mmCIF file of all heavy atoms in Angstrom:
data_model
loop_
_atom_site.group_PDB
_atom_site.id
_atom_site.type_symbol
_atom_site.label_atom_id
_atom_site.label_comp_id
_atom_site.label_asym_id
_atom_site.label_seq_id
_atom_site.Cartn_x
_atom_site.Cartn_y
_atom_site.Cartn_z
ATOM 1 N N ALA B 452 153.248 35.305 30.416
ATOM 2 C CA ALA B 452 153.787 34.186 29.634
ATOM 3 C C ALA B 452 153.545 34.388 28.143
ATOM 4 O O ALA B 452 154.446 34.219 27.312
ATOM 5 C CB ALA B 452 153.159 32.871 30.113
ATOM 6 N N VAL B 453 152.292 34.737 27.778
ATOM 7 C CA VAL B 453 151.965 34.890 26.357
ATOM 8 C C VAL B 453 152.787 36.019 25.750
ATOM 9 O O VAL B 453 153.347 35.880 24.646
ATOM 10 C CB VAL B 453 150.460 35.148 26.175
ATOM 11 C CG1 VAL B 453 150.147 35.529 24.723
ATOM 12 C CG2 VAL B 453 149.654 33.923 26.583
ATOM 13 N N ALA B 454 152.856 37.159 26.479
ATOM 14 C CA ALA B 454 153.588 38.300 25.945
ATOM 15 C C ALA B 454 155.069 37.972 25.794
ATOM 16 O O ALA B 454 155.686 38.266 24.758
ATOM 17 C CB ALA B 454 153.404 39.515 26.861
ATOM 18 N N ALA B 455 155.627 37.321 26.816
ATOM 19 C CA ALA B 455 157.061 37.028 26.811
ATOM 20 C C ALA B 455 157.422 36.035 25.711
ATOM 21 O O ALA B 455 158.420 36.182 25.026
ATOM 22 C CB ALA B 455 157.477 36.486 28.186
ATOM 23 N N MET B 456 156.556 35.010 25.520
ATOM 24 C CA MET B 456 156.915 33.952 24.569
ATOM 25 C C MET B 456 156.259 34.141 23.206
ATOM 26 O O MET B 456 156.401 33.287 22.323
ATOM 27 C CB MET B 456 156.507 32.602 25.154
ATOM 28 C CG MET B 456 157.273 32.263 26.434
ATOM 29 S SD MET B 456 157.020 30.562 26.958
ATOM 30 C CE MET B 456 155.720 30.725 28.131
ATOM 31 N N GLY B 457 155.501 35.222 23.052
ATOM 32 C CA GLY B 457 154.851 35.452 21.752
ATOM 33 C C GLY B 457 153.926 34.320 21.371
ATOM 34 O O GLY B 457 153.823 33.926 20.208
ATOM 35 N N LEU B 458 153.206 33.751 22.355
ATOM 36 C CA LEU B 458 152.374 32.583 22.073
ATOM 37 C C LEU B 458 151.189 32.925 21.170
ATOM 38 O O LEU B 458 150.627 32.040 20.514
ATOM 39 C CB LEU B 458 151.874 31.971 23.387
ATOM 40 C CG LEU B 458 152.966 31.342 24.271
ATOM 41 C CD1 LEU B 458 152.363 30.844 25.574
ATOM 42 C CD2 LEU B 458 153.642 30.187 23.528
ATOM 43 N N ASP B 459 150.797 34.210 21.145
ATOM 44 C CA ASP B 459 149.677 34.573 20.278
ATOM 45 C C ASP B 459 150.028 34.314 18.813
ATOM 46 O O ASP B 459 149.147 34.067 17.998
ATOM 47 C CB ASP B 459 149.267 36.030 20.490
ATOM 48 C CG ASP B 459 150.443 36.987 20.350
ATOM 49 O OD1 ASP B 459 151.540 36.638 20.839
ATOM 50 O OD2 ASP B 459 150.258 38.064 19.767
ATOM 51 N N GLY B 460 151.301 34.326 18.506
ATOM 52 C CA GLY B 460 151.722 33.990 17.150
ATOM 53 C C GLY B 460 151.656 32.494 16.887
ATOM 54 O O GLY B 460 151.708 32.045 15.741
ATOM 55 N N GLN B 461 151.501 31.669 17.935
ATOM 56 C CA GLN B 461 151.447 30.206 17.770
ATOM 57 C C GLN B 461 150.029 29.674 17.920
ATOM 58 O O GLN B 461 149.819 28.525 18.283
ATOM 59 C CB GLN B 461 152.345 29.539 18.798
ATOM 60 C CG GLN B 461 153.814 29.908 18.585
ATOM 61 C CD GLN B 461 154.706 29.275 19.629
ATOM 62 O OE1 GLN B 461 154.499 28.127 19.994
ATOM 63 N NE2 GLN B 461 155.682 30.027 20.099
ATOM 64 N N GLY B 462 149.049 30.538 17.668
ATOM 65 C CA GLY B 462 147.662 30.060 17.636
ATOM 66 C C GLY B 462 146.922 30.197 18.942
ATOM 67 O O GLY B 462 145.767 29.783 19.044
ATOM 68 N N VAL B 463 147.560 30.790 19.975
ATOM 69 C CA VAL B 463 146.833 30.993 21.229
ATOM 70 C C VAL B 463 145.967 32.227 21.071
ATOM 71 O O VAL B 463 146.475 33.323 20.815
ATOM 72 C CB VAL B 463 147.816 31.168 22.408
ATOM 73 C CG1 VAL B 463 147.051 31.573 23.667
ATOM 74 C CG2 VAL B 463 148.606 29.890 22.631
ATOM 75 N N ARG B 464 144.635 32.034 21.203
ATOM 76 C CA ARG B 464 143.734 33.175 21.028
ATOM 77 C C ARG B 464 143.761 34.058 22.275
ATOM 78 O O ARG B 464 143.709 33.548 23.398
ATOM 79 C CB ARG B 464 142.322 32.695 20.745
ATOM 80 C CG ARG B 464 142.105 32.542 19.237
ATOM 81 C CD ARG B 464 140.744 31.979 18.940
ATOM 82 N NE ARG B 464 140.884 30.668 18.323
ATOM 83 C CZ ARG B 464 139.900 29.808 18.168
ATOM 84 N NH1 ARG B 464 138.695 30.099 18.629
ATOM 85 N NH2 ARG B 464 140.116 28.653 17.587
ATOM 86 N N ILE B 465 143.892 35.362 22.029
ATOM 87 C CA ILE B 465 143.999 36.295 23.157
ATOM 88 C C ILE B 465 142.825 37.269 23.143
ATOM 89 O O ILE B 465 142.061 37.341 22.179
ATOM 90 C CB ILE B 465 145.327 37.072 23.106
ATOM 91 C CG1 ILE B 465 145.449 37.776 21.736
ATOM 92 C CG2 ILE B 465 146.507 36.150 23.359
ATOM 93 C CD1 ILE B 465 146.617 38.712 21.661
ATOM 94 N N LEU B 466 142.699 37.989 24.262
ATOM 95 C CA LEU B 466 141.592 38.936 24.400
ATOM 96 C C LEU B 466 141.679 40.040 23.351
ATOM 97 O O LEU B 466 140.671 40.459 22.800
ATOM 98 C CB LEU B 466 141.650 39.546 25.814
ATOM 99 C CG LEU B 466 140.441 40.362 26.253
ATOM 100 C CD1 LEU B 466 139.225 39.466 26.386
ATOM 101 C CD2 LEU B 466 140.720 41.059 27.576
ATOM 102 N N GLY B 467 142.869 40.525 23.066
ATOM 103 C CA GLY B 467 143.036 41.601 22.095
ATOM 104 C C GLY B 467 142.707 42.947 22.700
ATOM 105 O O GLY B 467 142.591 43.084 23.918
ATOM 106 N N SER B 468 142.506 43.916 21.831
ATOM 107 C CA SER B 468 142.303 45.267 22.367
ATOM 108 C C SER B 468 140.846 45.476 22.752
ATOM 109 O O SER B 468 139.929 45.106 22.031
ATOM 110 C CB SER B 468 142.744 46.321 21.358
ATOM 111 O OG SER B 468 141.893 46.271 20.244
ATOM 112 N N VAL B 469 140.668 46.025 23.943
ATOM 113 C CA VAL B 469 139.338 46.309 24.470
ATOM 114 C C VAL B 469 139.209 47.833 24.486
ATOM 115 O O VAL B 469 140.112 48.516 24.965
ATOM 116 C CB VAL B 469 139.195 45.753 25.904
ATOM 117 C CG1 VAL B 469 137.839 46.103 26.482
ATOM 118 C CG2 VAL B 469 139.454 44.257 25.913
ATOM 119 N N PRO B 470 138.099 48.383 23.953
ATOM 120 C CA PRO B 470 137.965 49.843 23.944
ATOM 121 C C PRO B 470 138.059 50.393 25.357
ATOM 122 O O PRO B 470 137.326 49.951 26.256
ATOM 123 C CB PRO B 470 136.574 50.086 23.377
ATOM 124 C CG PRO B 470 136.143 48.804 22.778
ATOM 125 C CD PRO B 470 136.937 47.710 23.408
ATOM 126 N N GLY B 471 138.951 51.341 25.587
ATOM 127 C CA GLY B 471 139.162 51.891 26.923
ATOM 128 C C GLY B 471 138.288 53.087 27.210
ATOM 129 O O GLY B 471 138.760 54.095 27.726
ATOM 130 N N SER B 472 137.000 52.967 26.863
ATOM 131 C CA SER B 472 136.094 54.104 27.100
ATOM 132 C C SER B 472 134.893 53.619 27.898
ATOM 133 O O SER B 472 134.580 52.438 27.922
ATOM 134 C CB SER B 472 135.624 54.664 25.762
ATOM 135 O OG SER B 472 134.951 53.635 25.046
ATOM 136 N N LEU B 473 134.236 54.579 28.548
ATOM 137 C CA LEU B 473 133.044 54.219 29.321
ATOM 138 C C LEU B 473 131.861 54.037 28.375
ATOM 139 O O LEU B 473 131.865 54.562 27.263
ATOM 140 C CB LEU B 473 132.758 55.319 30.360
ATOM 141 C CG LEU B 473 133.814 55.380 31.470
ATOM 142 C CD1 LEU B 473 133.471 56.495 32.458
ATOM 143 C CD2 LEU B 473 133.887 54.043 32.207
ATOM 144 N N PRO B 474 130.847 53.278 28.831
ATOM 145 C CA PRO B 474 129.693 53.029 27.948
ATOM 146 C C PRO B 474 128.931 54.320 27.680
ATOM 147 O O PRO B 474 128.861 55.205 28.523
ATOM 148 C CB PRO B 474 128.840 52.060 28.758
ATOM 149 C CG PRO B 474 129.229 52.289 30.178
ATOM 150 C CD PRO B 474 130.680 52.623 30.140
ATOM 151 N N SER B 475 128.355 54.414 26.497
ATOM 152 C CA SER B 475 127.455 55.537 26.209
ATOM 153 C C SER B 475 126.048 55.133 26.663
ATOM 154 O O SER B 475 125.683 53.960 26.638
ATOM 155 C CB SER B 475 127.452 55.828 24.714
ATOM 156 O OG SER B 475 127.131 54.649 24.006
ATOM 157 N N LEU B 476 125.282 56.114 27.082
ATOM 158 C CA LEU B 476 123.925 55.826 27.578
ATOM 159 C C LEU B 476 122.906 55.987 26.452
ATOM 160 O O LEU B 476 123.063 56.830 25.585
ATOM 161 C CB LEU B 476 123.570 56.780 28.729
ATOM 162 C CG LEU B 476 124.450 56.678 29.972
ATOM 163 C CD1 LEU B 476 123.919 57.577 31.083
ATOM 164 C CD2 LEU B 476 124.513 55.225 30.454
#
Side-chain angles (χ1 to χ4, degrees):
Chain B
V453 171
M456 296 191 265
L458 293 177
D459 53 320
Q461 296 178 40
V463 172
R464 270 176 245 167
I465 55 172
L466 191 66
S468 66
V469 177
S472 59
L473 291 180
S475 55
L476 298 185

